[in-house]
Amino acid sequence: MKKISMKWLATASHIDGPYGGDMSKPAQEKKATVYDIARIAGVSASTVSRILNGSAKVAEDKRLAVEEAIRELNFRPNLMAQYLKTGQSMTLGVLTQYVDSPFSNEMLRGVENALQGLEYAPLIASGHWNAEEEVERLRLLIARRVDGIIILTGHVNQQTLLEFSQQVPMVATGHNINTERVRSFSINNRLGGYMATRYLLDLGHRQIAHIIGLPDQSDAIERHHGYRQALVSSGIEYDPELVVQGDFAEAGGLNAVKQLVASGKNFSAIFCANDQTCYGAILGLKQCGFRVPEDVSLIGFDDLPFSIYSNPPLTTVRQPIYETGITLVNTLLGLIENTEIPPVELPELSIVVRDTTMPYNANNS
């Protein structure tokens, strides 16, 4: 067998291809510059820079020519250079709790859609419902030079928000604070808890159980207060043995229902602190031999996208999760760009009736 010279192989690996160039290395496209854009658009490089930075008004015909050249060259600005020049990184920090949370994902969908077509990109961090971890994530986001921060609920207290807002503008859900540097949004969770319980009462249910959310979470506490208020207003004595601790998650709903059944207490309906709790509660009831809604009616809170596909489809209190995500972005951009922020009017809470509730039937109790 003829031996191939290793020297020849070493040389062959650097032979130019039929169109020239080094075959051992992929061809690299030349990165477009503002000067390339200026040449194609027929304007000065300074005019291109002003349009990219939005630092001055430019004639409409010149702006259109520059935008067309940018598309033609597939130009991407140097973000680091842009930050050094303008002081903006064009990124927004987003502090959520769990990236796998259906609730957070729905709000993040609103955030993402509100940012479509804009130069800003989100940078997401998770706090895992731990106040110390949330503070560390906020510090991390600020260290990454984000232009503003969106907080999707959590345990960060108001004083901490005020302190961090001196470094970067912020918007948050689940708080009640409004300054020139931080704005917050919250729904009336007490009203929502009242509405859910009132709906079950109007169906004739009187022994209504409640699975609470996280014990130190304001949303859960307020929904529980709404539940109690609805019972009292109907002349029904509050029974703490019908109230079971959950954790806003499916497993918590499953375990809470099994605990409720094991207690031997009679109940014909359950108000769950959120939809995810309801998903677990439905499974737990079925495992214990109960039919939904023939034996036990259930109502949730949130109206997550999956709730229409649960088995059965879930009756729930709808809150504007997606719309809140959009509002958070629009408000934060107003704070960053120092523009007037119009009054915010989120959709009101409403009951979405599906198949997990029905009128009370004494024969099934």
Side-chain angles (χ1 to χ4, degrees):
M1 178 183 291
K2 184 177 180 180
K3 294 183 178 180
I4 299 176
S5 169
M6 295 302 294
K7 181 178 179 180
W8 183 88
L9 283 175
T11 304
S13 65
H14 294 284
I15 292 177
D16 288 347
Y19 301 104
D22 189 346
M23 290 182 65
S24 65
K25 299 178 181 178
Q28 295 183 353
E29 294 182 3
K30 179 184 176 183
K31 188 174 182 179
T33 67
V34 292
Y35 298 100
D36 298 322
I37 296 171
R39 175 175 51 79
I40 293 177
V43 299
S44 66
S46 61
T47 297
V48 175
S49 294
R50 288 200 302 274
I51 292 173
L52 289 174
N53 297 331
S55 57
K57 291 184 178 181
V58 178
E60 186 65 19
D61 59 336
K62 292 183 178 180
R63 182 181 300 279
L64 292 174
V66 168
E67 290 175 351
E68 178 60 32
I70 289 173
R71 284 191 292 270
E72 181 179 333
L73 294 171
N74 194 27
F75 175 76
R76 295 289 184 273
N78 186 320
L79 294 180
M80 180 56 71
Q82 187 172 347
Y83 170 73
L84 293 173
K85 189 169 184 177
T86 67
Q88 286 188 287
S89 65
M90 306 308 291
T91 57
L92 301 180
V94 181
L95 176 63
T96 184
Q97 296 309 316
Y98 288 102
V99 293
D100 60 350
S101 162
F103 177 87
S104 295
N105 286 341
E106 183 66 1
M107 197 169 290
L108 285 171
R109 189 172 70 88
V111 169
E112 182 182 49
N113 286 355
L115 291 174
Q116 281 188 356
L118 304 180
E119 294 289 333
Y120 290 94
L123 181 61
I124 301 172
S126 299
H128 305 114
W129 293 108
N130 182 293
E132 292 183 1
E133 190 172 348
E134 289 172 25
V135 169
E136 287 303 313
R137 294 297 178 267
L138 288 175
R139 288 179 177 147
L140 174 64
L141 291 171
I142 291 174
R144 293 296 181 95
R145 306 293 185 184
V146 296
D147 296 327
I149 294 178
I150 297 170
I151 300 177
L152 307 183
T153 71
H155 291 318
V156 178
N157 60 46
Q158 181 167 308
Q159 184 58 40
T160 301
L161 285 181
L162 288 171
E163 292 173 1
F164 278 120
S165 70
Q166 297 307 307
Q167 302 179 64
V168 61
M170 310 175 78
V171 292
T173 59
H175 290 271
N176 185 21
I177 175 174
N178 288 286
T179 71
E180 293 182 354
R181 298 284 296 176
V182 56
R183 299 289 176 89
S184 66
F185 301 91
S186 61
I187 64 165
N188 191 334
N189 283 288
R190 183 175 297 213
L191 173 62
Y194 179 90
M195 291 169 60
T197 310
R198 181 76 258 174
Y199 179 73
L200 295 173
L201 289 166
D202 289 343
L203 289 176
H205 298 280
R206 292 298 178 266
Q207 294 172 303
I208 302 172
H210 177 43
I211 302 177
I212 307 179
L214 290 167
D216 56 351
Q217 224 281 341
S218 61
D219 291 358
I221 295 170
E222 287 299 307
R223 292 170 194 177
H224 178 218
H225 287 328
Y227 160 79
R228 294 189 64 164
Q229 183 180 348
L231 293 177
V232 171
S233 66
S234 297
I236 299 174
E237 184 177 353
Y238 172 76
D239 184 354
E241 292 186 19
L242 284 175
V243 178
V244 187
Q245 186 64 59
D247 58 6
F248 276 149
E250 293 85 349
L254 174 66
N255 294 330
V257 156
K258 290 188 175 181
Q259 180 182 338
L260 192 60
V261 171
S263 72
K265 293 289 295 186
N266 290 325
F267 59 92
S268 64
I270 305 175
F271 163 40
C272 297
N274 68 345
D275 286 4
Q276 288 174 255
T277 298
C278 252
Y279 304 154
I282 291 172
L283 177 60
L285 286 169
K286 290 181 178 180
Q287 289 179 349
C288 292
F290 291 90
R291 299 169 299 167
V292 177
E294 292 83 0
D295 298 323
V296 180
S297 289
L298 286 97
I299 187 168
F301 199 114
D302 285 338
D303 193 26
L304 296 175
F306 179 73
S307 293
I308 195 172
Y309 302 108
S310 65
N311 184 22
L314 182 63
T315 296
T316 183
V317 178
R318 185 186 189 280
Q319 66 161 311
I321 308 172
Y322 171 81
E323 295 86 347
T324 299
I326 293 176
T327 299
L328 288 168
V329 170
N330 292 337
T331 302
L332 183 58
L333 293 181
L335 293 176
I336 293 171
E337 298 166 4
N338 197 28
T339 58
E340 184 177 353
I341 302 172
V344 175
E345 292 187 7
L346 291 170
E348 295 181 353
L349 301 178
S350 60
I351 301 287
V352 179
V353 179
R354 297 195 180 100
D355 299 339
T356 56
T357 50
M358 66 179 294
Y360 173 71
N361 185 347
N363 294 327
N364 292 331
S365 61

